[in-house]
Amino acid sequence: MATRLRLLRLLRSDAVALAAAACLVVVVLVALFGPMAVGDAAGGINLRNRNAPPFEFTRPWLYWLGSDSLGRSILARIVVAARTTLGIALASVAAALLVGGAVGLVAGLSRGRTGEYILRGVDVIMSFPSLLLALIVLYVLGPAPSNIVIVLGVTRLPVYVRTARAEVLEIRERAFVAAAQVMGAGPVHIALRHVLPLVLPTLLIIGALDFAYVMLAESALSFLGIGVQPPDITWGLMVAEGRAYLTAAWWLAFWPGLAIMMTALAANLLAMWFRIANDPSLRGSLKARVAGNG
Amino acid sequence: MTRFMLGRALHSLVALLALVVLVFFLARLTGDPTNLFLPMDASLAERQAFAERHGFDEPLLVQFWSYLVDLAHLDFGMSLFQARPAIEPVLGAFPVTLRLALVTMVLALTLSVVIGSVAAYGPGGLFDRIASLLSILGASTPDFWIAIVGILFFSVSLGILPTSGTGTGWHWIMPVGVLLLRPLGLLTQVVRAAMIGVLNSAYVKTARAKGASPRRVIFVHGVRNAMLSVITVAGDQAAALINGAVIVETVFGWPGIGNLMINAIKQRDFAVLQASILVTALAIFVMNLLIDIAYSRLDPRIRAG
């Protein structure tokens, strides 16, 4: 609890990190409650307001960012798409973290050749452009949201496997693991009770860093037309749909892309700040800056 | 040294083989090309003849074996849609992507070494903070979106850059700029971090104490040692660069390997897909080998070990 308070105090004194955190909170709140607030405006066809340019404040507030050729409010669509976009990214990271962490744990604890084989398998995934892997797999399985989560999860797997394995290799040589072994603890018990709690924080930080990356990857898939399919919408899909109207209605592609960028930027900034704040050798510089500012 | 290189090469070769197997079977799971290639009202006999001609009626394992045998004779099969050997469009498209990737990588390496070094020389300073923020911004921007915004601004509004195609030097500016974004941001961060480590080391302090100028310290003593981590990351960026190339080639209409692969998947043109993936993987394989060699040249400890 004390550490959490200290982290909050550090956060409050760093303007950039604070702004990033606020931005993320807003995005998450929008994803959670926004769709209820805008009602069915995202799908509602309204030909009187079609192709409305942005910043016409005489129209209802839902149209302040403009509307598409069917008169659907861009703002409402961005709000609804936020839920799908964030949901897929979050689920993918969670899946990669769980499976990758477990595989890495096994690879690190096994004494035989298993670890070696797992690492080779991971190398195959890493040596291949992830977007193409996703393209092929999505053509096989079909572009359902659950399949997109699987594909994105698989392409991010190597990071977690390698990190977990490297950490485990170091931890398993420590005295307390030997002590547990001497006292008769089984391998499963040692893995879950003694090794996992030490590996998990590192994996969680990587997961935070990965979130923005996965969101961008999902957007790229949707943009290429093999990600989420209409009538579901994500920000990437909105950019793809808006591309056809680029010269006539620039706002269709512009706003959703900006939403992707702002969210990714906020996530990256916060993850970087968090890494510094959690690293005792770097935290000094953060505190020094606080003192300098204060 | 030779043994070390051979071991690495063998590992990569196994990975390459696994990839060939994976792509072959995954591609065949995507569906029957007969339905896509023949008209809807094609008779059963016509379908049968088509499948026989291209060997789709054989069991998968038999198909795979004959694919491997052909591959050993450097025969990559025939393209279904273009009625010519599959390797021809691949060899036509590959140099386009290679040139794009090379120009981007050289620019990214040069710029990141300069920016990262200067940032590392005064960590926490104004230049460092601006550079850090910009590199994070580069990593956060969706490449397809910035490509579209670029077209909107430079082509539609200002009318100074072409929207798509290849040809003049003007055609290169936007694709390279978009592709550059991510590797540049990442490499700048890596150079900066490595450089800070190097500048704090004893030998650099010695050099400074002996009166070496800041420029000499950075570019003679620093860069050579910071390059180690840069080269490793640059290698990982090779595969990522192909990701970017798929997007950039799609948006800007470049006839490169990324564009070819997307079309091959959409048309179920297995032979072209397999050939293009094999060539791409081979290129990445060769590059990783070159990186290993460069690495062992820079770090004598690896040669010994």
Side-chain angles (χ1 to χ4, degrees):
Chain A
M1 197 57 218
T3 39
R4 212 165 290 164
L5 269 179
R6 204 201 55 225
L7 266 181
L8 275 180
R9 213 172 302 136
L10 269 180
L11 181 65
R12 214 175 49 198
S13 54
D14 189 323
V16 176
L18 192 64
C23 183
L24 271 190
V25 169
V26 169
V27 171
V28 169
L29 285 180
V30 163
L32 284 178
F33 304 109
M36 278 181 268
V38 298
D40 49 2
I45 293 173
N46 182 343
L47 293 180
R48 211 153 42 104
N49 278 326
R50 75 173 197 256
N51 283 334
F55 309 124
E56 288 195 347
F57 299 116
T58 50
R59 297 179 196 267
W61 62 275
L62 274 175
Y63 291 92
W64 286 357
L65 291 187
S67 66
D68 64 10
S69 55
L70 294 173
R72 295 177 297 193
S73 148
I74 295 296
L75 183 61
R77 283 172 70 76
I78 287 181
V79 166
V80 172
R83 186 179 275 186
T84 345
T85 310
L86 296 190
I88 289 179
L90 216 58
S92 310
V93 170
L97 202 157
L98 280 177
V99 178
V103 172
L105 215 59
V106 172
L109 286 172
S110 66
R111 295 276 173 184
R113 306 224 60 177
T114 325
E116 189 72 3
Y117 289 137
I118 291 177
L119 227 56
R120 287 283 89 76
V122 163
D123 275 351
V124 176
I125 302 180
M126 272 190 86
S127 64
F128 196 63
S130 56
L131 196 61
L132 292 173
L133 199 69
L135 268 171
I136 299 171
V137 175
L138 284 179
Y139 258 86
V140 179
L141 300 175
S146 56
N147 293 338
I148 297 170
V149 169
I150 293 175
V151 162
L152 290 175
V154 168
T155 54
R156 295 314 293 163
L157 214 54
V159 187
Y160 299 95
V161 175
R162 288 175 153 219
T163 314
R165 179 175 170 274
E167 292 258 306
V168 170
L169 284 184
E170 191 258 322
I171 291 169
R172 77 172 189 194
E173 302 304 331
R174 291 206 202 156
F176 65 84
V177 175
Q181 266 166 348
V182 169
M183 290 173 68
V188 177
H189 179 86
I190 288 181
L192 293 183
R193 293 297 295 272
H194 297 281
V195 177
L196 185 64
L198 286 174
V199 180
L200 205 57
T202 318
L203 291 186
L204 284 176
I205 291 182
I206 295 181
L209 274 172
D210 238 16
F211 174 77
Y213 186 93
V214 168
M215 194 181 70
L216 290 174
E218 180 275 318
S219 304
L221 286 178
S222 295
F223 176 76
L224 288 173
I226 49 161
V228 169
Q229 302 289 318
D232 284 339
I233 40 172
T234 63
W235 290 337
L237 188 63
M238 287 180 72
V239 176
E241 287 175 348
R243 192 181 157 206
Y245 302 93
L246 202 57
T247 46
W250 56 268
W251 52 91
L252 294 187
F254 184 79
W255 296 122
L258 194 67
I260 300 174
M261 192 181 82
M262 294 311 284
T263 313
L265 185 63
N268 277 335
L269 281 173
L270 202 63
M272 192 188 75
W273 174 86
F274 191 67
R275 205 177 44 189
I276 295 176
N278 260 313
D279 188 335
S281 66
L282 296 172
R283 201 188 296 139
S285 67
L286 213 58
K287 274 191 187 146
R289 214 195 293 163
V290 172
N293 287 351
Chain B
M1 166 68 187
T2 332
R3 262 193 66 191
F4 166 74
M5 297 310 295
L6 270 179
R8 293 295 302 243
L10 202 69
H11 278 152
S12 311
L13 212 62
V14 171
L16 204 65
L17 209 66
L19 198 69
V20 170
V21 178
L22 195 74
V23 169
F24 182 90
F25 288 103
L26 273 181
R28 265 146 191 87
L29 284 172
T30 59
D32 189 351
T34 320
N35 294 330
L36 207 73
F37 200 66
L38 293 182
M40 289 270 270
D41 54 353
S43 71
L44 211 61
E46 276 174 314
R47 284 169 193 276
Q48 190 75 31
F50 179 82
E52 264 170 35
R53 188 150 27 108
H54 296 285
F56 294 136
D57 57 336
E58 309 252 26
L60 264 187
L61 279 179
V62 177
Q63 284 186 42
F64 185 59
W65 177 245
S66 62
Y67 169 68
L68 283 187
V69 170
D70 286 349
L71 210 56
H73 296 101
L74 288 181
D75 177 1
F76 291 84
M78 291 290 283
S79 161
L80 279 182
F81 275 75
Q82 309 193 11
R84 56 176 174 154
I87 195 68
E88 281 181 15
V90 174
L91 290 184
F94 189 68
V96 177
T97 306
L98 193 66
R99 269 198 298 259
L100 186 65
L102 271 182
V103 170
T104 308
M105 220 49 212
V106 168
L107 273 177
L109 276 173
T110 328
L111 288 175
S112 66
V113 165
V114 173
I115 299 173
S117 302
V118 177
Y121 206 75
L126 187 67
F127 185 86
D128 179 34
R129 292 174 79 171
I130 293 177
S132 290
L133 198 68
L134 282 183
S135 67
I136 294 178
L137 196 66
S140 310
T141 310
D143 39 11
F144 56 90
W145 178 71
I146 205 69
I148 287 181
V149 172
I151 289 179
L152 196 63
F153 188 70
F154 292 110
S155 306
V156 179
S157 296
L158 297 180
I160 51 173
L161 289 179
T163 55
S164 67
T166 54
T168 64
W170 296 107
H171 288 97
W172 284 72
I173 295 179
M174 276 203 284
V176 170
V178 171
L179 205 53
L180 193 60
L181 222 57
R182 220 158 288 175
L184 180 58
L186 194 80
L187 287 177
T188 303
Q189 287 295 314
V190 174
V191 171
R192 176 187 175 274
M195 210 52 160
I196 287 180
V198 169
L199 291 181
N200 282 328
S201 64
Y203 63 85
V204 165
K205 284 188 181 139
T206 312
R208 269 194 193 152
K210 285 164 87 175
S213 66
R215 190 177 300 162
R216 193 176 155 79
V217 165
I218 290 183
F219 290 104
V220 177
H221 298 275
V223 167
R224 190 182 154 95
N225 290 287
M227 271 326 254
L228 275 181
S229 42
V230 175
I231 285 176
T232 339
V233 179
D236 289 341
Q237 283 301 296
L241 215 56
I242 300 290
N243 284 341
V246 174
I247 298 276
V248 165
E249 286 171 6
T250 314
V251 176
F252 293 107
W254 274 48
I257 201 109
N259 223 339
L260 188 73
M261 281 194 221
I262 297 246
N263 286 332
I265 291 177
K266 285 185 177 161
Q267 299 169 335
R268 309 250 188 284
D269 203 339
F270 295 152
V272 172
L273 178 67
Q274 279 154 200
S276 54
I277 282 176
L278 203 63
V279 169
T280 311
L282 211 64
I284 294 177
F285 166 71
V286 170
M287 221 204 62
N288 280 330
L289 214 61
L290 289 179
I291 284 175
D292 282 344
I293 293 174
Y295 209 89
S296 63
R297 289 221 167 265
L298 281 171
D299 191 347
R301 282 170 303 181
I302 294 175
R303 254 175 289 168

